[in-house]
Amino acid sequence: MNLAQNRNEDWMKMSVSQTLQHLEKIKLGGGKKSIEKQKERNKLTARERIAYLCDADTPFVELGAFAGFEMYAEQGGCPAGGTVSGLGYVSGRQCMIIANDQTVKAGAWFPITGKKNLRMQEIAMENKLPVIYLVDSAGVFLPMQDEIFPDKEHFGRIFRNNARMSAMGITQIAAVMGACVAGGAYLPIMSDETLMVEGNGSIFLAGPYLVKAAIGEETDTETLGGATTHTEISGIADYKFKTEQECLDHIKKIMNKLGKPEQAGFDRITPVAPQKDPKEIYGIMPEGNLKPYDMLEIIERMVDNSAFDQFKQDYGKTILCGYARIEGWAVGIVANQRLVSRNKKGEMQIGGVIYNDSADKAARFIMNCNQKKIPLVFLQDVTGFMVGSRSEHSGIIKDGAKLVNAVANSVVPKITIIVGNSYGAGNYAMCGKAYDPRFIYAWPSAKIAVMGGDQAAKTLLQIQVANLKAQGKEVSAEVEKELLDRIKASYEKQTSPYYAAARLWVDGIIDPIDTRRVIAEGIYAANQNPDKEIFKMGVFQV
């Protein structure tokens, strides 16, 4: 390993370490004191519930762990958006698990909580996954109710999705292990089966204090909406249990009897490990995403047997396209190539930029994968489309539109990994969040923005300086540098993967060597939806 690779490896390992440190803090939820209070009531934490529920020695892919990261500081924060969720295996069946974290503001819903829960339901619907809700929530966080209650993508959409999933034949199981209040009370009742834990679980539209204020009736939590009330009197709940463990054990029994799902039929053979060590990826990705590198070297450390069959290898060289297998699953890979290359005319092409020929090539490859029913994996490290008179005269917008059209209309599962830069329209063309990837992840090295930090900062600086001069103010070199540094710092923070993950632009930030695993789990999930859509490209200029 040379000096540059050592430096790259140190940088990537430090970036991964920082991600893990943030995750460890996030996993504490509302903090140690809140966890201790949970224990005093004989309650498990959200993560303990999931660990007990999931089959031993099976992967749990957490989704949305960074939701709300460094947001809501005035409200005391909202780690993981107040819920823990992800793909897990229960009685051998892959499912979506959504667990309220009662240690975070009593499990109350912040705006990001609603967005996260809707994203989890979206994943369940796209992949026809059973859903298990572990309910323990005080309902909407009232100080921010205007940002979570009334709109289309707010709290009420959860129950609309409950109804839609039920109509789609998707199993939903709700275990009420704590409070389930007000509008939130509809979630377990709109699920297929409802389980409650005695002494802690409760369901009601209005709690004892509100009932007293509204109608003058004095009552207590258990009488109003406890497990005995709802299993013996109202008939709302189906089962009651003395302990959480008994409740979770019964969920396993229910899941054990589900009929086997139909499958989409994506091809899989016995997995083979890459010949090239995946850990070597750490030394390939350049520090700060600033230098060229060979994306093929990363692909070969990600795919089975390090075998990648390139499509149009000598054409459109700034995008790599080809067929491979990941954990046995057949995939089509579309990846930005960061090496400088020459086109068929001998002209130099900058790595990470989408040119006419690479856009044309990628669009054709995406069409082929849809024809063959092969899932697509996008590896993003893109600075955008090529600009300038030569590209415009060659019809870059037309070729770019062709690629965007193919990505937008693709019906096979799409999984996106942002390994480096994700700038401008390149984000769209390479299947960014707006283009409905089934799953989208970022490496700690990812940067997501409308343009690179330097270009954006200089553009914004020019605007600010022009405004100051229009006001008759002198702008010295020192003031200009101070403005530039301030703009750049703010912009760089907004491009970080943490900023993106906090707002659920990506489903998670992953260690590069986990890429194979999350892609494989994503395709396994997608294979459970047998619905066959017809691939149509619509209208585009040729």
Side-chain angles (χ1 to χ4, degrees), residues 34-50:
S34 296
I35 291 172
E36 288 171 4
K37 288 181 181 178
Q38 189 93 332
K39 300 293 185 183
E40 288 170 6
R41 298 176 61 190
N42 294 319
K43 296 173 72 173
L44 302 173
T45 66
R47 293 179 186 280
E48 288 172 339
R49 288 167 179 165
I50 291 174

Side-chain angles (χ1 to χ4, degrees), residues 36 41 43 75 97 161 213 235 242 246 284 312 345 377 468 472 486 503:
E36 288 171 4
R41 298 176 61 190
K43 296 173 72 173
Q75 292 79 22
I97 304 171
N161 286 349
K242 295 189 181 299
E246 290 176 1
I284 297 170
K312 292 185 182 288
K345 298 177 183 178
V377 173
L468 290 170
R486 193 184 312 153
R503 290 152 183 81

Side-chain angles (χ1 to χ4, degrees), residues 317 340-349 357 390:
K317 293 182 180 180
V340 176
S341 61
R342 292 186 181 275
N343 63 14
K344 57 188 175 182
K345 298 177 183 178
E347 298 164 338
M348 295 297 292
Q349 293 189 322
D357 53 358
R390 179 179 293 175

Side-chain angles (χ1 to χ4, degrees), residues 11 285 289 293 295 338 379-382 417-423 442-443 445-448 495:
W11 170 71
M285 194 75 191
N289 308 347
Y293 65 93
M295 178 64 84
R338 286 297 303 273
L379 302 178
Q380 282 199 18
D381 193 348
V382 58
I417 311 292
I418 303 174
V419 305
N421 301 320
S422 180
Y423 294 156
W443 287 3
S445 48
K447 292 182 180 180
I448 306 167
T495 67

